[in-house]
Amino acid sequence: MNLKNDLLLRAARGEKTERTPVWMMRQAGRILAEYRAVREKAGSFIKLATTPEMAAEVTLQPVDLLGVDAAIIFSDILVIPEAMGLPYEMVEQRGPVFPSTVHTLEDLQKLHIAEPETDLKYVLDAIKITKEGLAGRVPLIGFAGAPFTIFCYMTEGKGSKTFSVAKKHLYADPGFSHTLLQQITDSTIAYLKAQIAAGADIVQLFDSWAGILSPEQYRIFSLPYIKQICDAITEVPVTVFAKGAFFARKEIGELSCSVVGLDWNMDIAESRALIPDKTLQGNLDPCVLYSSYDQIRAEVKKMVGQFGTQRYIANLGHGVYPDTDPDKVRCFIEAVKEYSSL
């Protein structure tokens, strides 16, 4: 199907665009009253994410209501450990919790490499339904968590400020760590390829906890596995977003990905110098959207001026916060379109 708006894909491939494409991480979420209504109907986050029709509905909402240049499938990075045999729960006010965790090679033998067509069929069905609903209006982004970030949750069992349990394994039992990371990597490659076969036009890897590692540890326990994924996904462009990994920008830029996502702590000019041959994505501080409309517009104008309008995908430096005013979000999106048009 030919896309009516293929700005995102052209920007990802480094082709000339009439203006900068814009979308937001977590754009399908609590900022929208329409999302909250579907979430209430579902009864739980996991029920929403695992019901293809509902997941597709909330995936489409930002396209219809906010005017973004891409949809991103509504799901969660933690579907991979669940598909490998480690289910999780989403606890209100606490976030994801794993009743069981993995710590030994014996624990790993209880897991299996995810089989997307069976273990994750609900995500693939949601992608297919979403593609029908989009009818070629904008591209659909698929995604997965980067292996180290998934490793953190599978060993720690919940979110953490330090992920010291996960990091202890890296130092105390590197053999276990590499075995689990490889299992996650193999599962993620199969999953992303299945998303692409179902209709995803571009995929993004979220290394949400990259910043808790030292540069040396990141080069040992994260980058090699991200590289495997980037090398394996040749069908569509790949975006790598490693939050907090400012020290690894040059190495990430050397991966066989098309787009490198930046958080708001990563200097734009410095990033362009370190990653000269890739499209960059980012990187407005989500808290800017709490400010006045005039300040949002001024910050967007400054950001676009620093990135330039080509080889650039506008986004926030992390996911939009759930208490953000949707009208402020629309201001951000409209300002990007205005200030980046040729």
Side-chain angles (χ1 to χ4, degrees), residues 108-150:
L108 298 187
Q109 292 172 1
K110 301 173 187 175
L111 304 176
H112 64 272
I113 305 303
E115 298 176 3
E117 296 295 344
T118 52
D119 299 322
L120 293 159
K121 184 176 183 296
Y122 60 90
V123 179
L124 307 183
D125 288 345
I127 288 173
K128 293 170 185 175
I129 295 169
T130 300
K131 288 290 283 190
E132 289 182 13
L134 285 172
R137 284 179 289 162
V138 296
L140 177 62
I141 304 168
F143 72 91
F148 173 70
T149 288
I150 300 302

Side-chain angles (χ1 to χ4, degrees), residues 6 46 51 64 89-90 99 112 142 192 212 226 243 254 285 317 321:
D6 63 351
I46 290 179
T51 305
D64 298 325
E89 302 167 356
M90 194 64 74
H112 64 272
L192 289 175
I212 68 168
I226 293 177
K243 187 175 184 298
E254 292 168 351
D285 184 343
Y321 297 142

Side-chain angles (χ1 to χ4, degrees), residues 37-338:
V38 179
R39 166 70 174 76
E40 184 175 354
K41 180 180 175 184
S44 72
F45 172 88
I46 290 179
K47 179 68 173 177
L48 173 55
T50 55
T51 305
E53 294 78 11
M54 286 185 173
E57 182 178 356
V58 296
T59 299
L60 292 168
Q61 285 173 349
V63 178
D64 298 325
L65 301 171
L66 300 175
V68 288
D69 292 309
I72 181 167
I73 192 65
F74 183 82
S75 185
D76 194 274
I77 63 171
L78 298 181
V79 300
I80 278 289
E82 183 161 66
M84 293 172 64
L86 199 72
Y88 71 105
E89 302 167 356
M90 194 64 74
V91 180
E92 290 295 332
Q93 309 302 322
R94 284 186 63 195
V97 174
F98 285 84
S100 299
T101 51
V102 292
H103 299 287
T104 66
L105 290 173
E106 290 73 27
D107 291 337
L108 298 187
Q109 292 172 1
K110 301 173 187 175
L111 304 176
H112 64 272
I113 305 303
E115 298 176 3
E117 296 295 344
T118 52
D119 299 322
L120 293 159
K121 184 176 183 296
Y122 60 90
V123 179
L124 307 183
D125 288 345
I127 288 173
K128 293 170 185 175
I129 295 169
T130 300
K131 288 290 283 190
E132 289 182 13
L134 285 172
R137 284 179 289 162
V138 296
L140 177 62
I141 304 168
F143 72 91
F148 173 70
T149 288
I150 300 302
F151 175 96
C152 284
Y153 285 103
M154 293 180 76
T155 54
E156 198 95 20
K158 60 184 184 303
S160 168
K161 291 181 179 179
T162 62
F163 281 104
S164 56
V165 173
K167 289 179 68 176
K168 178 177 73 174
H169 282 295
L170 305 184
Y171 286 108
D173 199 347
F176 161 86
S177 301
H178 283 298
T179 301
L180 177 54
L181 285 162
Q182 190 61 57
Q183 288 183 356
I184 297 167
T185 300
D186 293 342
S187 297
T188 302
I189 290 170
Y191 178 44
L192 289 175
K193 283 186 173 289
Q195 288 188 45
I196 294 162
D201 299 294
I202 181 172
V203 295
Q204 177 159 317
L205 273 178
F206 287 87
D207 206 357
S208 305
W209 299 114
I212 68 168
L213 291 177
S214 69
E216 180 182 11
Q217 279 195 313
Y218 196 72
R219 293 180 186 111
I220 295 170
F221 293 105
S222 187
L223 270 175
Y225 298 101
I226 293 177
K227 182 179 188 301
Q228 284 187 46
I229 296 169
C230 290
D231 288 346
I233 304 298
T234 57
E235 302 90 337
V236 301
V238 177
T239 300
V240 175
F241 174 62
K243 187 175 184 298
F246 63 92
F247 49 80
R249 281 173 293 172
K250 186 174 187 296
E251 291 94 331
I252 292 171
E254 292 168 351
L255 297 171
S256 53
C257 61
S258 298
V259 183
V260 177
L262 307 179
D263 67 40
W264 67 90
N265 289 316
M266 297 176 182
D267 182 79
I268 295 170
E270 183 180 71
S271 299
R272 278 285 187 208
L274 289 168
I275 312 168
D277 301 319
K278 304 282 187 188
T279 296
L280 299 182
Q281 176 176 278
N283 71 337
L284 194 73
D285 184 343
C287 287
V288 168
L289 301 187
Y290 293 130
S291 63
S292 68
Y293 293 103
D294 286 344
Q295 187 169 354
I296 292 170
R297 291 172 60 82
E299 293 289 340
V300 169
K301 186 176 184 179
K302 181 169 66 175
M303 178 180 73
V304 172
Q306 290 177 314
F307 274 106
T309 60
Q310 301 301 306
R311 298 215 77 156
Y312 173 46
I313 298 167
N315 206 314
L316 304 177
H318 198 223
V320 61
Y321 297 142
D323 61 343
T324 306
D325 182 343
D327 286 334
K328 300 288 183 72
V329 172
R330 292 185 186 94
C331 177
F332 161 70
I333 293 164
E334 290 162 7
V336 170
K337 293 179 180 180
E338 178 183 347

